[in-house]
Amino acid sequence: MGRFDGKVALISGVARGQGRSHALRLASEGAAIIGFDGLCTYDTVPYKQATQDDLDETVKQVENAGGRILSGRADVRKRDEIDSIVAKGIAEFGGIDIVVANAGIGINSRPFWEVSQQEWDDVIDVCLMGVWHTVSAAAPAMIAAGKGGSIVVTASAAAIKAAPQLSPYIAAKTGVIGMMRSMANDLAPHKIRINCIAPTAVPTDFVLNDRLYQIFCPDKENPTVEDAAAILRGHHPLGEPWIQPSDASAAVAFLASDEARYISGILLPIDLGLSFAW
Ligand SMILES: NC(=O)c1ccc[n+]([C@@H]2O[C@H](COP(=O)([O-])OP(=O)(O)OC[C@H]3O[C@@H](n4cnc5c(N)ncnc54)[C@H](O)[C@@H]3O)[C@@H](O)[C@H]2O)c1
């Protein structure tokens, strides 16, 4: 018996990183997955984005592990694309019980007065409006089914600590926390819960790139992953540079499960003690 036997989970940004890990974790406990990814490119994002090969790899890994997945390309900035994959997923699996609004991007770090309009628009559109789109595309079917459900939104520990030089990203991630709290009130009469997770650094493509090494080591000319890890370790009372995608997935699985049946409207940090560090 899996905790999610007979359940269906919609996951955004599923092609790689934490999204892939969430798909594997929820599928391993019995959920059928409706997984989508934008496979977008951005002029403002200084690391490579996921490709169709990445999305195919997620499908392969879920199926090789005995799971079921319907995948497709959909950009969280485009509500009609999400509506289309949601409709296909419901036709295939019969409904949606769990939503994981995970897709997100990071931009270059700079003081807020140097942020370009395009950088602001891209990160707010993907990380804030994209969450609204994803949750809104799934909520009506969940409400109509009358079975309750659980929604998990990926915020960031960077929003709790208000990391410097990342104001558009912090605005988006703080925004989803407030939006989640309001949504929790809208959804409660329907026994649908919604919560945020706030991961600290996770070694995905989002972090394992020169942009991030430069953010953490501004005084080094060509900082390496080891240089960045040393700085990050120093930020975290628990003494590790980062958590793993599977740690974020464990939190997602808990919040999605009936073990969290009375938890809604919270922000759950998975942050090696960062939030309350001296
Ligand atoms: N990696 C970290 O250190 C970290 C820490 C805290 C929070 N986060 C957040 O975790 C989430 C997952 O990030 P990750 O670490 O797995 O990075 P990642 O870059 O590996 O994964 C992000 C995924 O989102 C997809 N995506 C990007 N734009 C999209 C769009 N418009 N529509 C649909 N999909 C889109 C990408 O193609 C990619 O597959 C993001 O919301 C990110 O902001 C990351």
Side-chain angles (χ1 to χ4, degrees), residues 16 18 37-38 42 75-76 102 154 169 173 199-200 202 204 207:
R16 68 180 191 193
Q18 294 177 69
D37 201 289
Y42 303 93
D75 182 336
V76 290
N102 158 81
T154 302
Y169 183 75
K173 292 298 189 182
T200 187
V202 191
T204 62
V207 155

